[in-house]
Each structure stands twice: as structure tokens, then as C-alpha cells.
């Protein structure tokens, strides 16, 4: 990753600034802090939640688990992923914040301003491979400018582009379960699935049946990410309607 950006700070002001500049109509949806995994705290978030963005600490345990899971998916496969999911391979260093935001907004039922940077990017990306989408992102200066402006708007001094940062963004969305086939007969499956979208992985990852995006994402994060962490530098944000 020769091309590197300044890391984004994980707070609602920064993510909403990025989203607004990219084209999200923030009067209808915005990012808000999720303060914990307890049901009472989750219940404070307006519904419907359309995406969950997580900033988490990278540890040796996580890296080992990540590589093992990616290898297992390559070897054994996983539950089919909805074909409309847009996933991008991360090829720009420290761009995981922008990757998480694009994954969240592109795979949610949100309103984007016509002709906005994100609306155009999604339209141009739909028929491209994840690698081609990466090249498009690398050569689209609008996103580099939006990322830089958002990074400068944080409450803390942003690290330099070349500084090693052991924190990473990932994203969770809800998607339909594709039709399955049994003995050559197509079987409709109306279940929703929890999908994790992380540009460092091999592709979208199915995380199981999803009946409530926020609750199911929080449960998965608590059970899977937290035990592997060596620090508590977690930040979870939900894309949801503005609080009344």
C-alpha cells in the first residue's frame, strides 16, 4: 500500500462530515455513537439502524484469526452472499475509515444527493470487480479530498499518513439471503443475513441470520472481537435516523 492517507478519527462529527461531503442526505440518516452492548444502551439508538461501523484494535490474536478464517472460506466456502452487495478491496494505507463509510452507505437504503461523489462512484462500480473498484477509488481525487478534510476535523491531532496505526474500521450491514438450490430446485429464503464488509479481508463475510442489525452486530462484536483485543480502544457507531 504505497499510497497512504491520514487516518480518520472515529466520532460522529467526523463520519457525518465525510458522509455529507460525499453525498448522504444527513437530515434523514446520520452516524451516532453506540455506548455499549447492554440492551438499554442499544435501545437508545433510533431505528431503523442501516449500518454499524466499528473501529477496533488490531492484535496478534485477531490477525491469526483473520488469516485462518479467510483461508477456511477459500477452502470450504460460506453461506452465499447477496449479489448486490458492493465490496471494495482496500489498497490505500490508512483508508479503512473511508472504506467503512463507503461500504456502509453503498449497502444501505439511504438517500444520496444526485450527482454526488458517492452516487457516481456506486454507479460506476456496480459492474466492476473489487480490484477494479479499488483502482477507481485510487484515481478519484474527490474521495482523497473528502477523507483529508474529515481527518483534519477530528478532536485529536491526527497521526501522519506514514505513522503505524493499530486500529482498523470494519462495517456490518443487513442483506437478503440469496435463493438456495436443493437437488436442482430453487428454494426461496426470506431470511436476512448479517454481512461484514472489511477491505482487508478476502471479500464480504456472512455472519449468520440477522433479525435486528444493531443487536446482532453488537452480539457478534462482543463475542468475537472483544475477546481477541489487547486494549479497549473500541468505537462503535450506528447509521440511523437523527434523534427526535
Amino acid at each position: 500500500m504505497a499510497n497512504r492517507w491520514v487516518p480518520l478519527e472515529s466520532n460522529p462529527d467526523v463520519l457525518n462530515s465525510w458522509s455529507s461531503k460525499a453525498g448522504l442526505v444527513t437530515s434523514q440518516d446520520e452516524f451516532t455513537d453506540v455506548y455499549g452492548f447492554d440492551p438499554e444502551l442499544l435501545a437508545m439508538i433510533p431505528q431503523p439502524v442501516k449500518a454499524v461501523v466499528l473501529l477496533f484494535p488490531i492484535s496478534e490474536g485477531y490477525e491469526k484469526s483473520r488469516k485462518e478464517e479467510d483461508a477456511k472460506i477459500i477452502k470450504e466456502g460460506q453461506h452465499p452472499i447477496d449479489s448486490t452487495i458492493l465490496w471494495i478491496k482496500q489498497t490505500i494505507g490508512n483508508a479503512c475509515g473511508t472504506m467503512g463509510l463507503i461500504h456502509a452507505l453503498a449497502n444501505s437504503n439511504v438517500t444520496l444527493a444526485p450527482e454526488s461523489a458517492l452516487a457516481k462512484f456506486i454507479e460506476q462500480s456496480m459492474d466492476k470487480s473489487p480490484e477494479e473498484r479499488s483502482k477507481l477509488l485510487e484515481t478519484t481525487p474527490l474521495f482523497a479530498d473528502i477523507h483529508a478534510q474529515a481527518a483534519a476535523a477530528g478532536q485529536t491531532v491526527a497521526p501522519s499518513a506514514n505513522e503505524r496505526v493499530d486500529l482498523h474500521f470494519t462495517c456490518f450491514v443487513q442483506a437478503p439471503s440469496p435463493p438456495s438450490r436443493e437437488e436442482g430446485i430453487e428454494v426461496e429464503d426470506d431470511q436476512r443475513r448479517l454481512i461484514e464488509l472489511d477491505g482487508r479481508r478476502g471479500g464480504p463475510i456472512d455472519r449468520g441470520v440477522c433479525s435486528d442489525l444493531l443487536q446482532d452486530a453488537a452480539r457478534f462484536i462482543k463475542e468475537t472481537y472483544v475477546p481477541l483485543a489487547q486494549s479497549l480502544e473500541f468505537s462503535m457507531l450506528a447509521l440511523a435516523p437523527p434523534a427526535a
Side-chain angles (χ1 to χ4, degrees):
M1 296 187 183
N3 188 8
R4 302 182 69 86
W5 293 354
V6 175
L8 287 187
E9 180 179 306
S10 180
N11 74 56
D13 289 342
V14 170
L15 270 60
N16 287 326
S17 172
W18 186 103
S19 300
S20 177
K21 289 181 172 64
L24 176 67
V25 179
T26 52
S27 62
Q28 297 188 27
D29 293 289
E30 64 181 16
F31 286 96
T32 185
D33 279 316
V34 180
Y35 291 107
F37 303 118
D38 295 338
E40 296 81 5
L41 296 174
L42 298 179
M44 295 170 58
I45 306 301
Q47 293 290 332
V49 170
K50 297 181 177 179
V52 174
V53 173
L54 174 72
L55 181 72
F56 66 94
I58 296 175
S59 65
E60 291 184 7
Y62 169 77
E63 290 293 271
K64 181 175 182 292
S65 175
R66 173 179 69 88
K67 292 174 183 177
E68 290 175 349
E69 184 177 42
D70 284 347
K72 182 178 180 180
I73 291 174
I74 291 173
K75 182 179 179 180
E76 302 177 8
Q78 62 175 335
H79 189 284
I81 302 290
D82 177 38
S83 61
T84 65
I85 287 289
L86 188 148
W87 178 80
I88 311 164
K89 185 70 176 177
Q90 182 178 341
T91 56
I92 303 171
N94 293 337
C96 57
T98 281
M99 301 293 295
L101 288 165
I102 292 177
H103 282 147
L105 299 177
N107 295 291
S108 305
N109 185 24
V110 296
T111 301
L112 298 176
E115 302 302 311
S116 63
L118 188 53
K120 290 180 180 178
F121 180 82
I122 293 171
E123 181 179 2
Q124 295 170 2
S125 295
M126 293 308 297
D127 60 348
K128 290 181 168 54
S129 70
E131 291 75 19
E132 289 172 333
R133 293 166 185 163
S134 300
K135 288 295 182 183
L136 181 61
L137 183 62
E138 290 178 16
T139 56
T140 303
L142 281 175
F143 283 108
D145 294 342
I146 292 170
H147 183 105
Q149 292 172 29
Q155 297 176 357
T156 59
V157 177
S160 69
N162 294 321
E163 186 175 338
R164 179 180 175 83
V165 178
D166 291 327
L167 297 170
H168 184 68
F169 282 94
T170 189
C171 168
F172 296 87
V173 298
Q174 191 180 56
S177 179
S180 59
R181 294 182 179 276
E182 294 180 4
E183 298 181 355
I185 301 175
E186 188 171 288
V187 179
E188 294 293 333
D189 185 353
D190 61 358
Q191 285 184 338
R192 308 287 289 181
R193 308 292 296 186
L194 179 65
I195 306 298
E196 182 174 2
L197 302 169
D198 181 343
R200 293 181 71 226
R201 306 301 297 264
I205 304 174
D206 180 87
R207 296 305 188 190
V209 174
C210 183
S211 58
D212 183 291
L213 175 55
L214 180 59
Q215 291 185 22
D216 291 332
R219 173 188 48 77
F220 180 83
I221 292 165
K222 181 179 180 180
E223 294 177 354
T224 306
Y225 275 88
V226 174
L228 294 173
Q230 295 178 336
S231 76
L232 296 178
E233 294 181 274
F234 284 88
S235 175
M236 184 164 61
L237 296 100
L239 177 62

